[in-house]
Amino acid sequence: MGLNIVDKQQYLEEREKLIGADRSLRRDRPAVHTRSALETEADEIMHRIRAEEAAGIWKEDHPDVPHPFPGMEFLTGKKIVEKTRTFEILMPKGALLHIHIGATVDARTLLDLALQQPAIHIRVPERLDARNISSVLPELMPLTPEFYNMDGEIVSSNSYVPNTWVNITRAREQFDPSLGGPEGFDRWIIDAMTLRPAEAYGTHNTVTKIWEKFQSTFGVSGGLVHFLPIFKQYLRIFFLTSINDGISYMEPRIDFYFAKALTATDGRSTITHREVLQLFEATVNEVKEELTKEGRGDKFLGARIIYTAFRALEPKDLYYYVDDCIDLKKEFPHIIAGFDLVGNEDELRPLIDYVEPLLYFRERQLQEGVEIPFLFHAGETLGDGDSPDNNLYDALLLGTKRIGHGFSLVKHPKLLQACREQGILLEVCPISNEILRLTSSMPMHPLPIIINNGVSVALSSDGPSVFGNMGLTYDFFQFSMMLPAEKKDALDSWETEWRAFLEFIVARYKGSLPN
Amino acid sequence: MGLNIVDKQQYLEEREKLIGADRSLRRDRPAVHTRSALETEADEIMHRIRAEEAAGIWKEDHPDVPHPFPGMEFLTGKKIVEKTRTFEILMPKGALLHIHIGATVDARTLLDLALQQPAIHIRVPERLDARNISSVLPELMPLTPEFYNMDGEIVSSNSYVPNTWVNITRAREQFDPSLGGPEGFDRWIIDAMTLRPAEAYGTHNTVTKIWEKFQSTFGVSGGLVHFLPIFKQYLRIFFLTSINDGISYMEPRIDFYFAKALTATDGRSTITHREVLQLFEATVNEVKEELTKEGRGDKFLGARIIYTAFRALEPKDLYYYVDDCIDLKKEFPHIIAGFDLVGNEDELRPLIDYVEPLLYFRERQLQEGVEIPFLFHAGETLGDGDSPDNNLYDALLLGTKRIGHGFSLVKHPKLLQACREQGILLEVCPISNEILRLTSSMPMHPLPIIINNGVSVALSSDGPSVFGNMGLTYDFFQFSMMLPAEKKDALDSWETEWRAFLEFIVARYKGSLPN
């Protein structure tokens, strides 16, 4: 390469060519070359704001954040992020394509919803005290009225009998003052539903250790989210807060791995998967109508469900779920967006274990004339050539349309090429990756490798209520499971929002930045 | 991909093919398929030892290393590394291809060498006390006899006059007891020549911040290493400790960026670059003879110098160095291995600034009939598309034979391909990368991406006396600047060592591992 170059002019020409060839795979290359004057101006302003912040707020030592830097550990640096102008500028984000329903509404709000429900009860396996409060997890569940427990000892009482259910509001109000009283109760519950910096960056500093805590948060919140009266409100809040963050379309993953997913209003009977989908659809329509009345109908283009099952299932038990998914797709073709298997790839079963039911699933879809794209989690691991990493091969061979995470994809030259050529989108969740210890900071994330290889990316939040990363940074519409006509409308609508966003940046900041 | 597969058997065949295609670029693929029974057996034993250690010593909390894991921050986990069997098994490593001469001998040993020299003096810009000892750096230098200072106040005395030179041994002996006396003095000097965990992982937790400290260590040790009586002993120790670590060939980078590199025996005159090369050559021969007498002549195959200049030079000043390098190569063709430019890429001048003197250098080599390969540092950065990252384009266009670090190479599909096709070797320094904050732990290092793209790699130590990573993990001979006949001998010799190594593992551990 370049060995016969003799003069500088020729060198610079060769250099231009080499850089062009190296960058030619990037999907944004044409767009960068044809961008409007407004886009260029807004981009320059954003660069200046970020440079100013890197030299300012990110350089100062903050009393509770020593040695900060842009892209540092999210849970530690979050308070600084929230003070920046970069954060304050609300970008139209399009679609949110990777989020787990059980982690969509912030923990404080979910607890408030629970406190309004007399059915919700709490128990612990041993009496709570100052010594064990940071390790004992609450179990939360709706009970049927005949089991409501409005008296008896609460979880921090000396005479509490382990594993006795107690009404949540009463447990909170009478919570031992030495443990902080009601505020201490709230802190305990919220800590059990979220990850703290001391865990992610200290006691649980590896993928395996932090996943244990991550998994446990779903156990705690699940007892609340799965109660129908809470779930209705929860869905509304998820939609509305996302919309207010500039997201206009969502495809949450809903775990149907408990054959009976939700508990009905009386805490007694369970509701069917059909009823879950009806509720979801009704809530989408309700929110759409409200926004239309407010003249903001264009801010919400709808939502679909990605049907998921759990990677701990016996392969033979997956047949039930794939059949169930087909039945639901036939009845709600506009609601079911795709199918996935979820759970810690490093510890649970690899995709190859499920190849028989998954091939059966595909065959049955052909017979039934329905199409349910695979949208598999794969490669959410630091490994190379081990079984979680090998999930990438199986996801591709099974014809996945998108890959959840695909963190280890960058280790596979052939698979990067396949994703690029087949237009397979990567749902990349940078903050999730950092907190779950796949990367230690944003500058170390492999995202640029993926982009430079021409693979499409949708940035996603994964489990925002657990990670504290409510909202999004950016997304693309074109890989959502929207119908073609919907996509066109969505893109038109996004273009309008995008222009307004650029105009806002220029109008607001032009002239206010130092030269 | 794979969308028309219907049954499991066919699926498994397609899967095998896909994995084969994805892995086909790896250079070790043929070797893995043809390895001997002994290699397979030793490999299995090593896997078991590592699995056992991951579940044992790396899982326990150690009093001074909380929450350890294999591949954790090196400066924190080093004590555990040294207790493992994996570390105790001495592998034949072949060549050491990336190491800076000023950081090759451990700091304690260098200080001991300095304490034997009455010429070595020390000074500080302000009197040392408990408050400033962790931030004030010592300046060390040989003085000519008429300036020897054997009385007067030492650096920690109340009446020390800032910037006064004091004999190092006297300064040490009289060092203030409240600062730890002589031991405190040693600690202070050694800390100034090394990086501590509290710096790399706390106060200096970004590339920019830790480089400041890294750079400063060379300023402290440089005053000692550049004194001829020390340098002679220093080179011997570098060769001998490397040989004892299983390294049999070295190509240290020597910085000639001070036009006059070393100070002669009297601390007065300086010696020429010619004399440095003569000394180097004489020391190589001396060590070879000694080893031959001991019957270990095959353990040391020689050493060469990579001539380096500093990236802070004005481009016009580089002409002096490239001419100097050509003169030296003509006189010492067997000692000069190549040419490089060094220093923090993120802060100093990019290669493109030097394109004119470098093209001139190549042209003059053609005229003079000498060949001095470029062995450029490039891409030692977290950036993508900025000037330190762009150094990779220039290194390749200028025809580099190896790349020092190339940490950001994985972001460049076209450049990975060029390195693979043109056989350009990457000198990868994992521990250096981790301490200098390009990666946070070994599992997060991009090395597997490089290997899976079929690019050759030589693992190197970079600055072991500063990082504390004396010795190596592995290396290859075939990309050193050895002559073809030397390479053949070196490979034969390595094969012998390799076989002995495998036999040792099997003999020592077979039967002693639990099933």
Side-chain angles (χ1 to χ4, degrees), chain B residues 119-346:
Chain B
I120 297 294
H121 284 65
I122 185 168
R123 67 175 187 180
V124 286
E126 52 178 309
R127 186 183 84 81
L128 271 197
D129 56 32
R131 191 186 40 79
N132 68 13
I133 190 166
S134 62
S135 63
V136 170
L137 291 177
E139 193 179 346
L140 297 160
M141 203 166 84
L143 297 186
T144 53
E146 67 269 34
F147 294 112
Y148 282 13
N149 178 356
M150 301 306 290
D151 45 32
E153 298 299 330
I154 69 133
V155 294
S156 60
S157 303
N158 276 325
S159 43
Y160 173 71
V161 179
N163 289 318
T164 312
W165 292 105
V166 185
N167 171 274
I168 188 175
T169 302
R170 210 165 53 80
R172 178 179 186 274
E173 282 165 2
Q174 295 173 25
F175 204 61
D176 198 322
S178 77
L179 300 176
E183 286 74 34
F185 178 88
D186 293 355
R187 216 165 27 240
W188 171 53
I189 303 284
I190 291 170
D191 279 352
M193 296 198 282
T194 52
L195 299 179
R196 282 166 290 169
E199 294 166 334
Y201 314 132
T203 54
H204 295 63
N205 62 350
T206 66
V207 175
T208 306
K209 292 187 229 167
I210 194 70
W211 258 92
E212 273 173 38
K213 171 74 202 267
F214 180 53
Q215 201 82 274
S216 78
T217 65
F218 287 92
V220 177
S221 60
L224 305 177
V225 176
H226 289 161
F227 185 46
L228 202 61
I230 291 180
F231 190 62
K232 270 185 188 164
Q233 296 173 282
Y234 183 93
L235 265 186
R236 273 182 61 81
I237 295 169
F238 164 48
F239 293 147
L240 288 168
T241 54
S242 300
I243 294 160
N244 289 337
D245 187 58
I247 296 162
S248 44
Y249 175 78
M250 307 103 197
E251 287 182 1
R253 280 164 163 87
I254 297 192
D255 310 329
F256 288 93
Y257 54 85
F258 299 114
K260 290 174 176 169
L262 293 173
T263 311
T265 46
D266 59 358
R268 181 177 294 145
S269 52
T270 54
I271 63 165
T272 62
H273 293 177
R274 274 192 82 235
E275 288 170 299
V276 176
L277 268 69
Q278 282 170 334
L279 173 69
F280 187 91
E281 185 176 18
T283 312
V284 168
N285 291 336
E286 201 178 291
V287 170
K288 269 191 187 171
E289 275 167 35
E290 281 173 33
L291 290 168
T292 307
K293 276 187 203 147
E294 294 168 18
R296 302 197 291 148
D298 58 335
K299 302 291 183 203
F300 183 43
L301 306 166
R304 281 180 172 75
I305 290 170
I306 299 171
Y307 185 112
T308 71
F310 192 43
R311 282 195 148 106
L313 287 173
E314 289 292 313
K316 68 175 169 41
D317 294 334
L318 191 62
Y319 288 94
Y320 163 81
Y321 294 92
V322 301
D323 283 335
D324 181 47
C325 186
I326 286 176
D327 292 346
L328 291 173
K329 179 68 180 177
K330 285 161 77 176
E331 188 173 351
F332 303 91
H334 48 294
I335 297 290
I336 295 289
F339 181 89
D340 188 13
L341 284 158
V342 299
N344 183 359
E345 291 183 68
D346 277 328

Side-chain angles (χ1 to χ4, degrees), chain A residues 64-134:
Chain A
D64 44 358
V65 189
H67 323 303
F69 61 91
M72 70 182 292
E73 300 85 347
F74 177 75
L75 295 174
T76 312
K78 190 179 168 193
K79 283 178 204 161
I80 303 181
V81 170
E82 288 165 355
K83 285 183 203 150
T84 63
R85 284 198 281 197
T86 306
F87 184 74
E88 148 199 315
I89 297 170
L90 190 71
M91 180 171 154
K93 295 173 183 99
L96 170 52
L97 299 183
H98 190 115
I99 188 164
H100 295 275
I101 196 73
T104 54
V105 170
D106 109 284
R108 172 77 254 176
T109 308
L110 176 56
L111 175 56
D112 288 341
L113 294 178
L115 291 170
Q116 293 160 20
Q117 301 293 336
I120 298 295
H121 284 64
I122 184 167
R123 68 175 185 180
V124 286
E126 51 178 309
R127 185 183 84 81
L128 270 197
D129 55 33
R131 192 186 40 77
N132 67 12
I133 189 166
S134 62

Side-chain angles (χ1 to χ4, degrees), chain A residues 261-276:
Chain A
L262 294 172
T263 313
T265 46
D266 60 359
R268 180 176 294 142
S269 51
T270 55
I271 64 166
T272 63
H273 293 177
R274 274 193 82 236
E275 288 168 300
V276 175

Side-chain angles (χ1 to χ4, degrees), chain A residues 1-8 11-12 14-16 18-19 21-23 25-26 58 61 66-69 72-73 202-206 209 352 355-356 359-360 362-363 382 384-386 389-399 401 410-416 418 420 422 437-441 443-446 448-449 452-453, chain B residues 1-8 11-12 14-16 18-19 21-23 25-26 58 61 66-69 72-73 202-206 209 352 355-356 359-360 362-363 382 384-386 389-399 401 410-416 418 420 422 437-441 443-446 448-449 452-453:
Chain A
M1 186 174 283
L3 269 176
N4 46 4
I5 303 170
V6 288
D7 71 37
K8 188 173 174 183
Y11 182 91
L12 294 177
E14 289 292 324
R15 188 177 197 264
E16 194 66 20
L18 177 60
I19 296 178
D22 185 48
R23 298 272 157 178
L25 300 175
R26 287 177 64 107
W58 288 109
D61 266 5
H67 323 303
F69 61 91
M72 70 182 292
E73 300 85 347
T203 53
H204 295 63
N205 61 351
T206 65
K209 291 186 229 167
I352 186 72
V355 67
E356 283 168 320
L359 290 173
Y360 159 83
R362 230 167 48 181
E363 213 182 335
L382 285 169
D384 175 37
D386 51 10
D389 178 51
N390 285 352
N391 282 336
L392 287 167
Y393 296 118
D394 293 298
L396 284 165
L397 282 169
L398 288 163
K401 289 273 187 287
V410 295
K411 293 176 182 141
H412 301 284
K414 186 78 185 174
L415 303 188
L416 279 168
R420 175 171 68 242
Q422 296 167 42
R437 303 284 80 199
L438 295 175
T439 186
S440 287
S441 68
M444 295 175 194
H445 195 283
I449 308 177
N452 292 350
N453 274 281
Chain B
M1 185 175 281
L3 268 176
N4 46 3
I5 303 170
V6 289
D7 72 36
K8 187 173 175 182
Y11 182 90
L12 293 177
E14 289 292 324
R15 189 177 196 264
E16 194 66 22
L18 177 61
I19 295 178
D22 185 47
R23 297 273 158 177
L25 300 175
R26 287 178 63 108
W58 289 109
D61 267 4
H67 322 304
F69 61 91
M72 70 182 292
E73 299 86 347
T203 54
H204 295 63
N205 62 350
T206 66
K209 292 187 229 167
I352 186 73
V355 67
E356 282 168 321
L359 289 174
Y360 159 83
R362 229 167 49 180
E363 213 183 334
L382 285 169
D384 175 35
D386 50 11
D389 178 50
N390 285 352
N391 282 336
L392 288 167
Y393 296 119
D394 293 298
L396 285 165
L397 282 168
L398 288 163
K401 289 273 187 289
V410 295
K411 293 176 183 143
H412 301 285
K414 185 78 184 174
L415 303 188
L416 279 169
R420 175 171 69 242
Q422 296 168 41
R437 305 283 80 198
L438 294 175
T439 186
S440 288
S441 69
M444 294 175 194
H445 195 284
I449 307 176
N452 292 349
N453 273 281

